[in-house]
Amino acid sequence: MIAAGDAFTLTAAILAVAAAIGFIANRARQPLVVAFIAVGIIVGPSVLDWVSDTEPIELFAEIGIAVLLFLVGLKLDLHLVRTTGRVALITGLGQVAFTSLIGFGLAIVLGMSATVALYVAVALTFSSTIIIVKLLSDKRELDELHGRIALGFLIVQDIVVVLVMIVLATIGNERDGSVAVQIGLVAAQGAGLIVAMAIVIRWVLPRLLDLVASSQELLIVSAVAWAVSVAAFSDWLGFSVEVGAFLAGFAVASTPYRESIAASLTGLRDFLLLFFFIELGAQLDFSAIGSQVPAAIVLSLFVLIGNPMIVLVIMGVMRYPKRVSFLAGLAVAQISEFSLILITLGRELGHVDNDAVGLVTLVGMITIAMSTYLILYSHQIFERLSGALSIFERRGVVDVPTHQPERVDVIVYGYGRFGRRLVEHLARNGHHVLVVDWDPHTRIRPEEEALAERITKRFGDADDPEFPSSLPIDSARWIVSTIPRVDTNKVLANSLQRWGASAKLAVTAHTASDVQRLAPEIDSGSIDLVLQPFDAAADAAIAGFMDS
């Protein structure tokens, strides 16, 4: 074991190496996922041997996985589940079945025994939910149709791998009872978990969040605690951490705090997932690779090309457009960390040897690295292959469900005295207004009841630079900050510019010195108008005196 002091020094050294290699990769326009896996290989037993025991890193990695899947569940829409559930289930099960059959045949042709071929074939079926979600989130495609379908069949894969692990564990430990008993027990535990979550969603969680939401810091700490706790409980029941974290996020998705929590946790997610990719690289066993390179290349090509083609065929039969089928299919163009766990379990049971472990390890390295590029450049690849992919598209494609964009004319930050009057005036003139306010107890109660349908509210913090990404900034014509804090308005102006908002920005200032401090943003064009309500009120009062 590593001593506590050494663990801190080791973590600092790993972060330094990750920052250096990440910088080089970024300058070379290479994916950071691949760079961080390379960091794991460098600091792992194969090169520097800094991380012979991955336990210190594993804790950060596990929390990162929980936060990632929590955010996925947090952004899930029940309507989208209903519209994509069928295709996700059919595609997920179909891909697992066909990949296993074809992979088994390939493994037999490559000279493997039936038992080893079966393990290798099943290992080729599982794709990394964590890596795909991370890549699609970075591209902001997780909410698009192909992203939702891909997420759906990746979750189906996760359920299948849990069942496979149960079967193998039962084979390895006869005292636990029959396979049927084990599966029945897991089904009962799963039903109990879902019922418990339903009770919490209905009666507990909304009230609890209302109590902690008055403090942004407490809200975020509580959200992470909730995500990790449910993930740990799910893991204790025999399910994966991913399933529990996903359900924890889904439970919060119906609350008004989802956008604020999601925006605040983005940075934490990215930092903690660094440790997951480093751990993955450090666990790759190069000593067992040996002469497995030719077989690994054949199987890697099958995963990179054959798996997406299987998805293309299945979704084509279901009459989905070739673009959606192709983009969703790229999500299965790699094997996952579960594949490595599965083949390692097979070795522990005496079913496979080190050569099989080395083979799957090498396939994992090749496919994870290559599929990262495939997903990052997916649209460019599709444009080049579009003509050839027409054979996978049947006539009369299915009606593709799409998001109905939220109609918003003006986004107003702050609902104090000035903000309330401004919002009601805009609504009275026919504008649809979205109010963003950090107070969870704020209620939108306009003087005229008819105005309520034109005003909506979201819980959010103007000081959070990630929050604008969750707002309909593409449809709004104006974004108005009624918050008179200069630093807050500077953060807002810079974050809106970063997220590519096309709307004009108006901010509030109470004094001339505040206006001067905003001069750099005004001169650069990131602030279009400065509202000075005290000056405007004085001018209106003087004008009224003069007219009377």
Side-chain angles (χ1 to χ4, degrees):
M1 289 294 294
I2 300 174
D6 291 337
F8 183 83
T9 303
L10 174 64
T11 304
I14 291 173
L15 288 175
V17 173
I21 294 181
F23 174 77
I24 294 171
N26 187 57
R27 294 301 295 268
R29 299 181 182 275
Q30 301 305 305
L32 289 180
V33 169
V34 176
F36 294 151
I37 293 175
V39 172
I41 295 172
I42 292 171
V43 303
S46 300
V47 184
L48 297 177
D49 197 21
W50 289 357
V51 187
S52 56
D53 177 8
T54 60
E55 185 176 345
I57 293 177
E58 186 178 357
L59 175 60
F60 291 116
E62 289 283 344
I63 298 175
I65 292 169
V67 172
L68 173 68
L69 272 296
F70 173 76
L71 289 175
V72 172
L74 191 65
K75 297 179 179 180
L76 199 64
D77 189 318
L78 271 176
H79 172 69
L80 304 181
V81 173
R82 287 193 293 267
T83 57
T84 61
R86 178 173 173 268
V87 63
L89 180 62
I90 294 174
T91 304
L93 294 178
Q95 182 266 324
V96 168
F98 285 112
T99 298
S100 298
L101 288 172
I102 299 172
F104 181 78
L106 278 175
I108 292 294
V109 170
L110 291 170
M112 301 178 199
S113 67
T115 301
V116 174
L118 180 60
Y119 267 92
V120 170
V122 174
L124 298 181
T125 64
F126 303 126
S127 305
S128 178
T129 303
I130 300 161
I131 293 176
I132 297 304
V133 168
K134 177 67 167 66
L135 291 171
L136 292 179
S137 296
D138 289 346
K139 292 183 70 179
R140 303 180 72 181
E141 293 183 4
L142 198 57
D143 289 331
E144 295 186 19
L145 179 61
H146 67 272
R148 303 195 305 267
I149 293 174
L151 175 61
F153 60 64
L154 288 172
I155 291 174
V156 171
Q157 285 186 359
D158 287 346
I159 295 172
V160 171
V161 77
V162 169
L163 296 177
V164 170
M165 295 293 185
I166 292 169
V167 172
L168 291 176
T170 304
I171 292 173
N173 187 358
E174 297 293 343
R175 293 173 301 174
D176 289 341
S178 68
V179 173
V181 171
Q182 289 292 308
I183 293 177
L185 178 61
V186 169
Q189 290 173 332
L193 178 61
I194 292 173
V195 170
M197 292 297 295
I199 293 172
V200 170
I201 292 172
R202 177 66 179 85
W203 286 289
V204 179
L205 203 56
R207 297 177 184 176
L208 181 62
L209 289 176
D210 284 343
L211 291 175
V212 302
S214 56
S215 168
Q216 183 74 3
E217 293 84 357
L218 182 57
L219 176 65
I220 300 308
V221 171
S222 301
V224 174
W226 166 251
V228 174
S229 298
V230 178
F233 183 59
S234 172
D235 187 51
W236 179 74
L237 286 177
F239 299 98
S240 65
V241 168
E242 291 89 340
V243 170
F246 177 81
L247 289 175
F250 183 70
V252 182
S254 59
T255 69
Y257 311 110
R258 55 183 277 178
E259 288 88 2
S260 179
I261 293 173
S264 298
L265 289 181
T266 301
L268 178 64
R269 175 202 66 187
D270 293 340
F271 173 72
L272 291 174
L273 280 179
L274 160 68
F275 292 95
F276 166 77
F277 295 119
I278 291 175
E279 182 195 21
L280 184 61
Q283 288 180 337
L284 296 179
D285 185 2
F286 287 85
S287 63
I289 289 177
S291 60
Q292 302 296 325
V293 174
I297 292 174
V298 172
L299 295 177
S300 296
L301 288 174
F302 168 61
V303 173
L304 289 165
I305 300 172
N307 273 357
M309 289 184 67
I310 290 171
V311 173
L312 271 166
V313 170
I314 295 172
M315 293 184 65
V317 170
M318 298 181 72
R319 300 184 183 277
Y320 274 82
K322 59 185 179 182
R323 174 183 288 274
V324 175
S325 303
F326 176 77
L327 296 178
L330 291 182
V332 294
Q334 90 289 122
I335 66 174
S336 76
E337 63 283 356
F338 283 123
S339 303
L340 304 179
I341 294 171
L342 175 69
I343 200 72
T344 302
L345 179 59
R347 181 178 60 183
E348 293 173 357
L349 294 174
H351 297 163
V352 301
D353 56 15
N354 281 339
D355 287 342
V357 175
L359 174 62
V360 174
T361 298
L362 188 53
V363 172
M365 291 173 54
I366 295 171
T367 57
I368 289 172
M370 295 301 297
S371 68
T372 300
Y373 292 98
L374 292 178
I375 292 173
L376 289 178
Y377 299 103
S378 57
H379 294 281
Q380 294 91 324
I381 296 172
F382 173 79
E383 295 303 328
R384 289 182 176 273
L385 300 178
S386 179
L389 294 175
S390 297
I391 61 174
F392 296 103
E393 188 175 58
R394 298 178 65 183
R395 293 182 179 179
V397 297
V398 69
D399 290 333
V400 177
T402 57
H403 281 298
Q404 293 298 321
E406 185 177 358
R407 183 190 169 188
V408 171
D409 300 312
V410 184
I411 299 173
V412 177
Y413 276 86
Y415 199 62
R417 288 174 297 177
F418 179 43
R420 182 178 287 105
R421 292 298 299 271
L422 178 65
V423 166
E424 291 189 5
H425 181 77
L426 290 169
R428 194 173 291 113
N429 283 274
H431 299 292
H432 287 77
V433 186
L434 173 61
V435 177
V436 178
D437 196 89
W438 68 272
D439 185 354
H441 304 295
T442 297
R443 297 291 180 265
I444 305 299
R445 294 193 180 94
E447 294 179 358
E448 300 174 27
E449 198 66 33
L451 301 181
E453 64 182 24
R454 299 196 193 112
I455 305 172
T456 55
K457 183 221 170 183
R458 285 195 195 177
F459 176 86
D461 188 357
D463 288 304
D464 188 344
E466 302 294 331
F467 187 73
S469 64
S470 68
L471 298 175
I473 55 178
D474 294 330
S475 64
R477 292 158 51 192
W478 276 92
I479 298 173
V480 182
S481 171
T482 64
I483 304 166
R485 294 194 299 272
V486 174
D487 292 340
T488 296
N489 289 324
K490 282 177 172 285
V491 169
L492 180 61
N494 292 329
S495 61
L496 288 172
Q497 196 169 44
R498 170 193 168 196
W499 291 108
S502 57
K504 294 183 178 180
L505 174 62
V507 301
T508 302
H510 282 173
T511 65
S513 62
D514 287 347
V515 177
Q516 287 297 319
R517 290 175 60 193
L518 292 169
E521 285 74 21
I522 297 171
D523 294 340
S524 67
S526 55
I527 292 178
D528 299 279
L529 177 65
V530 177
L531 304 175
Q532 297 177 268
F534 290 161
D535 289 0
D539 291 342
I542 292 172
F545 293 150
M546 298 299 293
D547 292 339
S548 60

PDB file of all heavy atoms in Angstrom, residues 297-318:
ATOM      1  N   ILE A 297      -5.679  -7.128 -34.402  1.00  0.00           N
ATOM      2  CA  ILE A 297      -6.015  -6.240 -35.526  1.00  0.00           C
ATOM      3  C   ILE A 297      -7.300  -6.700 -36.208  1.00  0.00           C
ATOM      4  O   ILE A 297      -8.189  -5.900 -36.521  1.00  0.00           O
ATOM      5  CB  ILE A 297      -4.847  -6.192 -36.530  1.00  0.00           C
ATOM      6  CG1 ILE A 297      -3.642  -5.481 -35.906  1.00  0.00           C
ATOM      7  CG2 ILE A 297      -5.268  -5.494 -37.824  1.00  0.00           C
ATOM      8  CD1 ILE A 297      -2.395  -5.496 -36.762  1.00  0.00           C
ATOM      9  N   VAL A 298      -7.425  -8.022 -36.422  1.00  0.00           N
ATOM     10  CA  VAL A 298      -8.639  -8.555 -37.058  1.00  0.00           C
ATOM     11  C   VAL A 298      -9.879  -8.245 -36.214  1.00  0.00           C
ATOM     12  O   VAL A 298     -10.897  -7.754 -36.719  1.00  0.00           O
ATOM     13  CB  VAL A 298      -8.501 -10.080 -37.282  1.00  0.00           C
ATOM     14  CG1 VAL A 298      -9.838 -10.667 -37.765  1.00  0.00           C
ATOM     15  CG2 VAL A 298      -7.396 -10.381 -38.280  1.00  0.00           C
ATOM     16  N   LEU A 299      -9.800  -8.525 -34.922  1.00  0.00           N
ATOM     17  CA  LEU A 299     -10.950  -8.297 -34.041  1.00  0.00           C
ATOM     18  C   LEU A 299     -11.237  -6.803 -33.868  1.00  0.00           C
ATOM     19  O   LEU A 299     -12.402  -6.406 -33.747  1.00  0.00           O
ATOM     20  CB  LEU A 299     -10.702  -8.962 -32.683  1.00  0.00           C
ATOM     21  CG  LEU A 299     -10.600 -10.493 -32.704  1.00  0.00           C
ATOM     22  CD1 LEU A 299     -10.278 -11.029 -31.319  1.00  0.00           C
ATOM     23  CD2 LEU A 299     -11.895 -11.119 -33.225  1.00  0.00           C
ATOM     24  N   SER A 300     -10.183  -5.985 -33.860  1.00  0.00           N
ATOM     25  CA  SER A 300     -10.384  -4.533 -33.744  1.00  0.00           C
ATOM     26  C   SER A 300     -11.115  -3.990 -34.967  1.00  0.00           C
ATOM     27  O   SER A 300     -12.002  -3.133 -34.847  1.00  0.00           O
ATOM     28  CB  SER A 300      -9.038  -3.825 -33.573  1.00  0.00           C
ATOM     29  OG  SER A 300      -8.418  -4.199 -32.366  1.00  0.00           O
ATOM     30  N   LEU A 301     -10.756  -4.472 -36.153  1.00  0.00           N
ATOM     31  CA  LEU A 301     -11.445  -4.044 -37.371  1.00  0.00           C
ATOM     32  C   LEU A 301     -12.916  -4.448 -37.328  1.00  0.00           C
ATOM     33  O   LEU A 301     -13.801  -3.703 -37.783  1.00  0.00           O
ATOM     34  CB  LEU A 301     -10.767  -4.636 -38.598  1.00  0.00           C
ATOM     35  CG  LEU A 301      -9.392  -4.044 -38.957  1.00  0.00           C
ATOM     36  CD1 LEU A 301      -8.755  -4.816 -40.102  1.00  0.00           C
ATOM     37  CD2 LEU A 301      -9.531  -2.565 -39.323  1.00  0.00           C
ATOM     38  N   PHE A 302     -13.174  -5.646 -36.768  1.00  0.00           N
ATOM     39  CA  PHE A 302     -14.570  -6.078 -36.630  1.00  0.00           C
ATOM     40  C   PHE A 302     -15.338  -5.142 -35.704  1.00  0.00           C
ATOM     41  O   PHE A 302     -16.479  -4.744 -35.999  1.00  0.00           O
ATOM     42  CB  PHE A 302     -14.618  -7.506 -36.093  1.00  0.00           C
ATOM     43  CG  PHE A 302     -15.994  -7.936 -35.658  1.00  0.00           C
ATOM     44  CD1 PHE A 302     -17.051  -7.979 -36.550  1.00  0.00           C
ATOM     45  CD2 PHE A 302     -16.234  -8.283 -34.334  1.00  0.00           C
ATOM     46  CE1 PHE A 302     -18.328  -8.362 -36.147  1.00  0.00           C
ATOM     47  CE2 PHE A 302     -17.493  -8.671 -33.926  1.00  0.00           C
ATOM     48  CZ  PHE A 302     -18.550  -8.715 -34.831  1.00  0.00           C
ATOM     49  N   VAL A 303     -14.734  -4.762 -34.586  1.00  0.00           N
ATOM     50  CA  VAL A 303     -15.401  -3.866 -33.642  1.00  0.00           C
ATOM     51  C   VAL A 303     -15.582  -2.476 -34.251  1.00  0.00           C
ATOM     52  O   VAL A 303     -16.657  -1.868 -34.140  1.00  0.00           O
ATOM     53  CB  VAL A 303     -14.599  -3.770 -32.325  1.00  0.00           C
ATOM     54  CG1 VAL A 303     -15.190  -2.706 -31.405  1.00  0.00           C
ATOM     55  CG2 VAL A 303     -14.590  -5.115 -31.609  1.00  0.00           C
ATOM     56  N   LEU A 304     -14.552  -1.966 -34.908  1.00  0.00           N
ATOM     57  CA  LEU A 304     -14.587  -0.610 -35.465  1.00  0.00           C
ATOM     58  C   LEU A 304     -15.520  -0.485 -36.659  1.00  0.00           C
ATOM     59  O   LEU A 304     -16.132   0.566 -36.867  1.00  0.00           O
ATOM     60  CB  LEU A 304     -13.177  -0.173 -35.865  1.00  0.00           C
ATOM     61  CG  LEU A 304     -12.197   0.110 -34.724  1.00  0.00           C
ATOM     62  CD1 LEU A 304     -10.775   0.173 -35.242  1.00  0.00           C
ATOM     63  CD2 LEU A 304     -12.566   1.409 -34.014  1.00  0.00           C
ATOM     64  N   ILE A 305     -15.617  -1.542 -37.467  1.00  0.00           N
ATOM     65  CA  ILE A 305     -16.431  -1.483 -38.692  1.00  0.00           C
ATOM     66  C   ILE A 305     -17.682  -2.345 -38.566  1.00  0.00           C
ATOM     67  O   ILE A 305     -18.787  -1.921 -38.915  1.00  0.00           O
ATOM     68  CB  ILE A 305     -15.594  -1.934 -39.910  1.00  0.00           C
ATOM     69  CG1 ILE A 305     -14.375  -1.019 -40.078  1.00  0.00           C
ATOM     70  CG2 ILE A 305     -16.441  -1.926 -41.176  1.00  0.00           C
ATOM     71  CD1 ILE A 305     -13.391  -1.484 -41.133  1.00  0.00           C
ATOM     72  N   GLY A 306     -17.502  -3.582 -38.079  1.00  0.00           N
ATOM     73  CA  GLY A 306     -18.624  -4.509 -38.028  1.00  0.00           C
ATOM     74  C   GLY A 306     -19.709  -4.111 -37.046  1.00  0.00           C
ATOM     75  O   GLY A 306     -20.907  -4.167 -37.380  1.00  0.00           O
ATOM     76  N   ASN A 307     -19.331  -3.676 -35.839  1.00  0.00           N
ATOM     77  CA  ASN A 307     -20.351  -3.286 -34.856  1.00  0.00           C
ATOM     78  C   ASN A 307     -21.229  -2.133 -35.346  1.00  0.00           C
ATOM     79  O   ASN A 307     -22.455  -2.206 -35.234  1.00  0.00           O
ATOM     80  CB  ASN A 307     -19.682  -2.924 -33.530  1.00  0.00           C
ATOM     81  CG  ASN A 307     -19.475  -4.140 -32.647  1.00  0.00           C
ATOM     82  OD1 ASN A 307     -19.868  -5.247 -32.989  1.00  0.00           O
ATOM     83  ND2 ASN A 307     -18.834  -3.952 -31.501  1.00  0.00           N
ATOM     84  N   PRO A 308     -20.651  -1.031 -35.868  1.00  0.00           N
ATOM     85  CA  PRO A 308     -21.512   0.031 -36.410  1.00  0.00           C
ATOM     86  C   PRO A 308     -22.400  -0.451 -37.556  1.00  0.00           C
ATOM     87  O   PRO A 308     -23.550  -0.009 -37.682  1.00  0.00           O
ATOM     88  CB  PRO A 308     -20.505   1.088 -36.892  1.00  0.00           C
ATOM     89  CG  PRO A 308     -19.300   0.880 -36.035  1.00  0.00           C
ATOM     90  CD  PRO A 308     -19.231  -0.603 -35.833  1.00  0.00           C
ATOM     91  N   MET A 309     -21.888  -1.382 -38.384  1.00  0.00           N
ATOM     92  CA  MET A 309     -22.706  -1.889 -39.487  1.00  0.00           C
ATOM     93  C   MET A 309     -23.882  -2.708 -38.970  1.00  0.00           C
ATOM     94  O   MET A 309     -24.984  -2.665 -39.547  1.00  0.00           O
ATOM     95  CB  MET A 309     -21.840  -2.727 -40.428  1.00  0.00           C
ATOM     96  CG  MET A 309     -20.858  -1.908 -41.256  1.00  0.00           C
ATOM     97  SD  MET A 309     -19.938  -2.917 -42.441  1.00  0.00           S
ATOM     98  CE  MET A 309     -21.253  -3.425 -43.558  1.00  0.00           C
ATOM     99  N   ILE A 310     -23.687  -3.437 -37.880  1.00  0.00           N
ATOM    100  CA  ILE A 310     -24.797  -4.182 -37.284  1.00  0.00           C
ATOM    101  C   ILE A 310     -25.891  -3.221 -36.829  1.00  0.00           C
ATOM    102  O   ILE A 310     -27.086  -3.447 -37.071  1.00  0.00           O
ATOM    103  CB  ILE A 310     -24.285  -5.032 -36.099  1.00  0.00           C
ATOM    104  CG1 ILE A 310     -23.415  -6.182 -36.604  1.00  0.00           C
ATOM    105  CG2 ILE A 310     -25.449  -5.569 -35.268  1.00  0.00           C
ATOM    106  CD1 ILE A 310     -22.698  -6.953 -35.520  1.00  0.00           C
ATOM    107  N   VAL A 311     -25.494  -2.115 -36.184  1.00  0.00           N
ATOM    108  CA  VAL A 311     -26.465  -1.107 -35.754  1.00  0.00           C
ATOM    109  C   VAL A 311     -27.134  -0.467 -36.968  1.00  0.00           C
ATOM    110  O   VAL A 311     -28.350  -0.213 -36.968  1.00  0.00           O
ATOM    111  CB  VAL A 311     -25.784  -0.049 -34.870  1.00  0.00           C
ATOM    112  CG1 VAL A 311     -26.744   1.107 -34.560  1.00  0.00           C
ATOM    113  CG2 VAL A 311     -25.288  -0.673 -33.576  1.00  0.00           C
ATOM    114  N   LEU A 312     -26.358  -0.194 -38.012  1.00  0.00           N
ATOM    115  CA  LEU A 312     -26.928   0.382 -39.236  1.00  0.00           C
ATOM    116  C   LEU A 312     -28.016  -0.514 -39.822  1.00  0.00           C
ATOM    117  O   LEU A 312     -29.081  -0.033 -40.237  1.00  0.00           O
ATOM    118  CB  LEU A 312     -25.816   0.590 -40.267  1.00  0.00           C
ATOM    119  CG  LEU A 312     -25.070   1.926 -40.239  1.00  0.00           C
ATOM    120  CD1 LEU A 312     -23.796   1.832 -41.075  1.00  0.00           C
ATOM    121  CD2 LEU A 312     -25.952   3.051 -40.760  1.00  0.00           C
ATOM    122  N   VAL A 313     -27.748  -1.813 -39.854  1.00  0.00           N
ATOM    123  CA  VAL A 313     -28.728  -2.748 -40.418  1.00  0.00           C
ATOM    124  C   VAL A 313     -29.992  -2.787 -39.550  1.00  0.00           C
ATOM    125  O   VAL A 313     -31.119  -2.697 -40.057  1.00  0.00           O
ATOM    126  CB  VAL A 313     -28.111  -4.163 -40.528  1.00  0.00           C
ATOM    127  CG1 VAL A 313     -29.191  -5.187 -40.886  1.00  0.00           C
ATOM    128  CG2 VAL A 313     -27.000  -4.174 -41.565  1.00  0.00           C
ATOM    129  N   ILE A 314     -29.816  -2.915 -38.231  1.00  0.00           N
ATOM    130  CA  ILE A 314     -30.975  -3.015 -37.340  1.00  0.00           C
ATOM    131  C   ILE A 314     -31.821  -1.744 -37.403  1.00  0.00           C
ATOM    132  O   ILE A 314     -33.055  -1.806 -37.551  1.00  0.00           O
ATOM    133  CB  ILE A 314     -30.521  -3.274 -35.887  1.00  0.00           C
ATOM    134  CG1 ILE A 314     -29.833  -4.635 -35.779  1.00  0.00           C
ATOM    135  CG2 ILE A 314     -31.714  -3.203 -34.927  1.00  0.00           C
ATOM    136  CD1 ILE A 314     -29.190  -4.893 -34.426  1.00  0.00           C
ATOM    137  N   MET A 315     -31.186  -0.570 -37.304  1.00  0.00           N
ATOM    138  CA  MET A 315     -31.945   0.680 -37.342  1.00  0.00           C
ATOM    139  C   MET A 315     -32.492   0.961 -38.740  1.00  0.00           C
ATOM    140  O   MET A 315     -33.539   1.602 -38.885  1.00  0.00           O
ATOM    141  CB  MET A 315     -31.067   1.837 -36.857  1.00  0.00           C
ATOM    142  CG  MET A 315     -30.708   1.749 -35.386  1.00  0.00           C
ATOM    143  SD  MET A 315     -29.772   3.164 -34.780  1.00  0.00           S
ATOM    144  CE  MET A 315     -30.980   4.484 -34.967  1.00  0.00           C
ATOM    145  N   GLY A 316     -31.797   0.462 -39.780  1.00  0.00           N
ATOM    146  CA  GLY A 316     -32.329   0.597 -41.139  1.00  0.00           C
ATOM    147  C   GLY A 316     -33.610  -0.197 -41.306  1.00  0.00           C
ATOM    148  O   GLY A 316     -34.573   0.276 -41.931  1.00  0.00           O
ATOM    149  N   VAL A 317     -33.650  -1.416 -40.753  1.00  0.00           N
ATOM    150  CA  VAL A 317     -34.875  -2.224 -40.796  1.00  0.00           C
ATOM    151  C   VAL A 317     -36.010  -1.519 -40.071  1.00  0.00           C
ATOM    152  O   VAL A 317     -37.183  -1.618 -40.476  1.00  0.00           O
ATOM    153  CB  VAL A 317     -34.610  -3.616 -40.174  1.00  0.00           C
ATOM    154  CG1 VAL A 317     -35.915  -4.384 -39.989  1.00  0.00           C
ATOM    155  CG2 VAL A 317     -33.644  -4.402 -41.045  1.00  0.00           C
ATOM    156  N   MET A 318     -35.673  -0.777 -39.024  1.00  0.00           N
ATOM    157  CA  MET A 318     -36.687  -0.029 -38.275  1.00  0.00           C
ATOM    158  C   MET A 318     -37.010   1.319 -38.922  1.00  0.00           C
ATOM    159  O   MET A 318     -37.706   2.139 -38.345  1.00  0.00           O
ATOM    160  CB  MET A 318     -36.200   0.182 -36.839  1.00  0.00           C
ATOM    161  CG  MET A 318     -35.979  -1.114 -36.072  1.00  0.00           C
ATOM    162  SD  MET A 318     -35.420  -0.845 -34.361  1.00  0.00           S
ATOM    163  CE  MET A 318     -36.937  -0.217 -33.640  1.00  0.00           C
TER     164      MET A 318
END
